[in-house]
Amino acid sequence: MADLNLRPKFHITGGNGWINDPNGLIKFGGEYHVFFQYYPDGVSWGPMHWGHVVSNDLTHWKRLPVALAPDAQDDGCFSGTAIVWQNKLWLMYTSFKENGGGENVRQLQAVASSEDGVNFTKHGIVIGENDLPAEYSPCDFRDPKIFAEGETLYCLVAARRRGGTGRILLFSSKDMFNWKFESDVTGRDSGGIMIECPDYNRKLGLLTYCEQFQPARGSEHLNIHSTFYRLGTLDCKGHKNTFGESRIIDYGFDFYAEQMFEDEPVMIGWLNMWDRNVPSQKYGFAGMLTVPRRLEVRDGELRQSPIVSADKVYEKEVCGSLTDNIKIGVVRINAKNLKAFDLRLRKKGDAYTGFYLKDGQWIFDRSRSGEKIDGKESDADSLAGIRRMPSDGCAETEITVVLDEFSVEIFVNGKALSSTVYPDTDADGLELKVKADKCTVSRFEVVGACHD
């Protein structure tokens, strides 16, 4: 019988029920607030609420009451964002109305506010159908990202062009309630059928977004729903936006709907994927969020490093091989002039999750990880449980592995690869074989982080 109390220890979940996109990442009242798409009454996607947790250190989370829930105004409270404005915490979200489905669906932008950061009052739709230019469809118009520049509020919203695919639109307001259309930010259709979850960090010049049903690009991204970033400048007033080409954010099976904190370069994503089975449903929950990731742009690329508050258990030099037992925690490997690398995680007998270096690529292999996860991808790598990430061939290599119940997040010199895995609950073996001029392994324990 499944253990209905089995949950990730330090990754955000809804406790019971289904979660997907992180929403409204904000610091307010001295705490980090993270909201998320949440259906408390089942383990499949349903009428969307906003779950809510807070933290002082981005690892230890406290669950708060549901912030937004469906009612007569909203059939669902879809994804959105948060801002501190006029000493209140404001949420902007997509108000979903079914209206019989199809082209009658309406996805419009609404706001809610709170003085205490816990209890929210809805104020209704503020970017409505009449505010959306006629060439875009109000049935695919969602995921607002609100931010301020001086006295002006701006909002990025994902939209679908009639007869085309996804776009990112920019709106402006002086008072939160009256908005006008400013520009089509990218000026071109997405590769997939729809863009979702746009975000922009002004300090980094970093635009992030998702694309649904995006065609594969070699072996770099094979997920049919993918996440990308582009570096450049969002010119809110002059509309002379300059962005480079799109690049993948995370090379793993399970990463989507990324969002950044407004005032800190920290990102959280959904550590799951659409159109896949979710084996954790039998435990009474489905979906989790990634650990927070600190971001920087270096040498023209996005670099990510995990934020996990943990205590060091040991640090040792490794010559050739290492065996250990770890189910939950963090492992950091520093190697000089790395020549060969083979890491097996959550090992039990012949079952394990593999990560190794081959022909200038990092290979992640979950074919032996445990319960099978199937998706709509039909390429050879996906069917074999394989994901690939480029190796930069640097003389110094830092590999950080974050392990929690049902997930593995791997960071190599700033590149990220995240995936869910479902091994036996007592599978905890670690085996490392490495060839390098020097290799140091450190292990860390995450203490007291469970938020349920």
Side-chain angles (χ1 to χ4, degrees), residues 46-103:
M48 284 291 99
H49 301 56
W50 274 39
H52 188 190
V53 294
V54 294
S55 174
N56 292 315
D57 64 358
L58 294 171
T59 300
H60 299 80
W61 298 97
K62 174 185 176 183
R63 197 177 308 285
L64 294 181
V66 166
L68 300 174
D71 55 18
Q73 174 181 310
D74 310 304
D75 293 339
C77 301
F78 282 11
S79 289
T81 185
I83 190 171
V84 179
W85 184 70
Q86 294 187 347
N87 299 317
K88 292 183 180 181
L89 177 57
W90 293 79
L91 308 181
M92 179 176 274
Y93 66 98
T94 297
S95 172
F96 169 75
K97 296 291 286 187
E98 181 69 29
N99 292 333
E103 292 295 319

Side-chain angles (χ1 to χ4, degrees), residues 131-152:
D131 302 306
L132 181 66
E135 62 265 35
Y136 305 97
S137 172
C139 67
D140 280 311
F141 179 47
R142 56 185 179 266
D143 306 342
K145 170 65 179 187
I146 189 171
F147 59 95
E149 285 193 3
E151 299 298 317
T152 304

Side-chain angles (χ1 to χ4, degrees), residues 198-238:
D199 201 349
Y200 181 68
N201 182 288
R202 290 163 291 173
K203 294 178 181 178
L204 296 179
L206 175 66
L207 178 71
T208 64
Y209 55 94
C210 304
E211 292 192 11
Q212 292 182 302
F213 298 100
Q214 162 74 26
R217 183 191 297 166
S219 62
E220 276 202 354
H221 85 78
L222 296 170
N223 297 335
I224 60 173
H225 310 298
S226 298
T227 58
F228 297 99
Y229 75 91
R230 296 172 67 185
L231 299 178
T233 301
L234 175 64
D235 180 4
C236 293
K237 295 181 180 179

Side-chain angles (χ1 to χ4, degrees), residues 9 24 59 64 69 103 135 160-161 186-187 191 194 234 245 252 278 308 313 337 448:
K9 184 173 183 179
T59 300
L64 294 181
E103 292 295 319
E135 62 265 35
R160 180 174 57 83
R161 190 173 60 85
T186 59
M194 180 61 185
L234 175 64
E245 291 304 306
V278 186
V308 183
V313 176
N337 295 325

Side-chain angles (χ1 to χ4, degrees), residues 1-7 16-17 43-44 277-287 370-372 406 421-425:
M1 180 179 292
D3 180 358
L4 296 181
N5 295 313
L6 197 61
R7 297 288 184 276
N16 295 325
V43 291
S44 298
N277 63 310
V278 186
S280 70
Q281 288 173 326
K282 65 175 174 291
Y283 299 110
F285 84 102
E371 293 186 62
K372 189 170 177 56
F406 311 122
V421 292
Y422 293 90
D424 288 352
T425 58

